[in-house]
Amino acid sequence: MGMGSDMYRQQILDHYKSPRNYGELEEKTFSHAGENPMCGDEITIDVQLDEDDEVIEGVAFRGDGCAISQASASMLSGELQGMTVEEMQDLDRDDVIDMLGVDISPMRVKCAVLAEKVVQDGADIYEGEKQLEKTTTEDDEE
């Protein structure tokens, strides 16, 4: 791995120390929370959609947890803006791990994908496809 992985670690630390889009949206279409009990990660994500409920116009998140969960939420909050809801729903763990750019141990995958799962569940709940108080990575089959 050498140099490359250090740079990526740097990127994760950077997002962890100064997360992008941290906070709350004043106008949000939906908001959803989730947790990864094993690691103690918690994340709440606010999403604002365009008037057709098709494109993600704004994303904010707040939470607490390990560097990977928070960096993932921070990076994702940037990536999601301008995406359609459909594109967002198509994201999977590999997309998130690629985005983080570092090899993640199986234990850490739950930390990495928490934000992605929270925002996808949030959209499903908003669209009436799911009923869920809170997303938790405990339900992972993997």
Side-chain angles (χ1 to χ4, degrees):
M1 294 290 287
M3 291 286 293
S5 62
D6 290 343
M7 191 178 78
Y8 282 123
R9 264 188 217 112
Q10 223 29 67
Q11 179 185 334
I12 285 173
L13 281 173
D14 179 46
H15 275 271
Y16 179 54
K17 288 180 182 149
S18 41
R20 322 303 193 250
N21 308 301
Y22 196 88
E24 211 168 329
L25 291 182
E26 282 186 19
E27 290 185 32
K28 51 191 172 227
T29 312
F30 63 85
S31 183
H32 187 56
E35 61 183 359
N36 169 20
M38 279 182 67
C39 189
D41 307 314
E42 290 185 26
I43 289 171
T44 301
I45 299 181
D46 296 346
V47 175
Q48 184 186 3
L49 300 178
D50 68 355
E51 23 199 75
D52 299 328
D53 279 355
E54 275 173 28
V55 178
I56 297 170
E57 288 194 335
V59 182
F61 83 98
R62 50 210 176 274
D64 205 15
C66 70
I68 289 194
S69 70
Q70 301 303 304
S72 172
S74 174
M75 289 182 200
L76 195 66
S77 69
E79 296 271 329
L80 289 173
Q81 300 191 40
M83 257 190 201
T84 63
V85 173
E86 206 171 327
E87 288 169 330
M88 180 268 285
Q89 291 290 26
D90 285 341
L91 293 174
D92 62 23
R93 51 188 271 177
D94 294 335
D95 295 319
V96 173
I97 291 165
D98 285 348
M99 178 184 74
L100 286 167
V102 27
D103 288 328
I104 293 175
S105 68
M107 281 295 293
R108 285 271 174 236
V109 169
K110 289 185 174 182
C111 309
V113 300
L114 178 61
E116 172 223 339
K117 288 188 177 303
V118 168
V119 75
Q120 288 172 336
D121 281 350
D124 282 342
I125 293 161
Y126 173 67
E127 288 164 1
E129 289 168 26
K130 223 181 227 182
Q131 282 190 311
L132 197 62
E133 275 296 295
K134 189 185 239 188
T135 295
T136 168
T137 53
E138 289 297 270
D139 309 335
D140 277 8
E141 299 307 310
E142 292 149 48

